Amino acid sequence: MSEEQSIGPATSDEVAYFAARRTQNEYDQRLYVDLAHVAPNGAFVARDEGTAIGIAIPHALEDEWFLSELFLEPSFRGRGIGLELLKAATAEAGAVTRSGILDPAELEGLAFYARIGVPMQAPLLEISGEIPRATELERMAAGEHRFGAIPVDPMAHASALNQLDREVRGSARPHDHLYFADKAKGFVFTREAELAGYAYVWPSGRIGPMAAVSHNYSVQMLAYALAALRASYNAEWCTLLVPGINTKILRAAMKARLRIIATKMFASDTNTSDLTRYIGGSSLMF
């Protein structure tokens, strides 16, 4: 870094600038700003002669630091600024798991994660399209399993949610559930009085995160979530972020004529997750 360049805590105006530039709708923009304000030691910005040229936003889970955002203007890449941003964002992280989501087209980002030793765990497929008609949802919901569905209560369901998240995501995320339940419609699925999974649907048309105790439950739960998305927000369009190894959801989505619109990559130190039972919330809070 040159003498004209510096890294420090992000201001509200700088966060708002990057949020508007880096997100595609008002809901993701609000989430971006919210994450920056609750980041464990704040969001950090790189500046060149006082002008913001990059931002890093860490997000803390139980024993994981998920990098919600690490962006640097292309003309400033390759100078070590990104590494300095990451160091600032994770200065107090300690010996915890590091993770984040990458765009495979951004080769600099892939090389950056390779340099810091975070392995690429799984491809993620952004899937979108019209919510299937009622007859198609009924077909998806058909099966041998029967579930109850009640609103998520992040406090009352905390123990079961934490356990399921550790199994499928690798880390518990109790604070995330408080945020999800406040901003979206959340549902807990039960079977024989035990928690079988959960799902959130958003005003933007996004589904996720969604997790199931068994991958055999996933398609039926997705059908419920799609119907709930339409009923809750009068939505006609949906978006999902699906791990490439979740073949049951991917197959069901393709049969329902949803389309793959983008690919991403999940990078993480951990190998304890089971993403065959998971749909991500977004690249900001996977």
Side-chain angles (χ1 to χ4, degrees):
M1 293 177 60
S2 68
E3 293 182 359
E4 295 79 17
Q5 294 165 349
S6 62
I7 292 174
T11 68
S12 295
D13 286 346
E14 288 170 333
V15 170
Y17 165 75
F18 283 111
R21 181 172 178 188
R22 297 282 291 161
T23 59
Q24 297 181 348
N25 60 65
E26 62 179 295
Y27 304 103
D28 287 345
Q29 188 171 335
R30 187 180 307 140
L31 173 58
Y32 194 106
V33 172
D34 289 345
L35 281 170
H37 287 160
V38 301
N41 31 310
F44 284 82
V45 160
R47 302 179 182 92
D48 180 70
E49 296 183 348
T51 299
I53 59 171
I55 186 170
I57 305 176
H59 182 59
L61 282 72
E62 181 182 45
D63 55 0
E64 173 184 351
W65 276 61
F66 179 80
L67 195 60
S68 290
E69 174 74 310
L70 180 62
F71 172 76
L72 188 66
E73 295 289 356
S75 59
F76 288 91
R77 294 173 186 173
R79 308 183 193 180
I81 301 173
L83 182 58
E84 293 303 314
L85 258 178
L86 182 67
K87 288 179 179 178
T90 60
E92 299 177 10
V96 297
T97 296
R98 301 167 297 172
S99 62
I101 292 180
L102 304 169
D103 182 346
E106 293 186 1
L107 301 183
E108 284 281 346
L110 295 176
F112 176 78
Y113 270 71
R115 284 198 300 272
I116 63 174
V118 179
M120 313 299 161
Q121 292 284 358
L124 304 175
L125 304 179
E126 191 90 27
I127 294 173
S128 189
E130 291 186 23
I131 296 175
R133 296 180 178 179
T135 53
E136 177 65 17
L137 293 180
E138 289 173 1
R139 184 193 65 78
M140 291 174 63
E144 59 183 296
H145 309 296
R146 295 292 179 267
F147 306 102
I150 58 175
V152 168
D153 183 331
M155 302 302 292
H157 301 138
S159 179
L161 291 172
N162 289 344
Q163 179 59 35
L164 181 55
D165 283 333
R166 290 187 188 107
E167 293 175 7
V168 299
R169 180 61 179 75
S171 298
R173 54 195 312 179
H175 296 296
D176 286 3
H177 282 285
L178 289 171
Y179 183 88
F180 298 152
D182 181 56
K183 303 297 183 182
K185 297 283 187 181
F187 306 92
V188 162
F189 301 100
T190 59
R191 188 164 185 258
E192 297 178 356
E194 297 292 333
L195 184 138
Y198 68 80
Y200 292 91
V201 299
W202 297 78
S204 63
R206 182 170 290 280
I207 293 175
M210 187 184 97
V213 169
S214 168
H215 66 275
N216 292 321
Y217 301 164
S218 296
V219 174
Q220 288 179 264
M221 291 180 181
L222 176 60
Y224 183 96
L226 286 164
L229 179 60
R230 175 176 284 157
S232 298
Y233 301 113
N234 198 28
E236 293 297 331
W237 201 263
C238 65
T239 304
L240 301 82
L241 186 59
V242 185
I245 58 175
N246 191 338
T247 55
K248 286 188 177 292
I249 290 293
L250 290 174
R251 185 178 182 186
M254 296 303 99
K255 284 185 175 180
R257 296 184 177 85
L258 302 182
R259 295 183 178 182
I260 299 170
I261 61 171
T263 60
K264 301 180 185 295
M265 183 68 68
F266 178 57
S268 178
D269 290 323
T270 185
N271 58 2
T272 61
S273 58
D274 181 3
L275 299 179
T276 65
R277 300 185 271 147
Y278 189 69
I279 293 175
S282 71
S283 59
L284 294 171
M285 289 181 78
F286 179 67

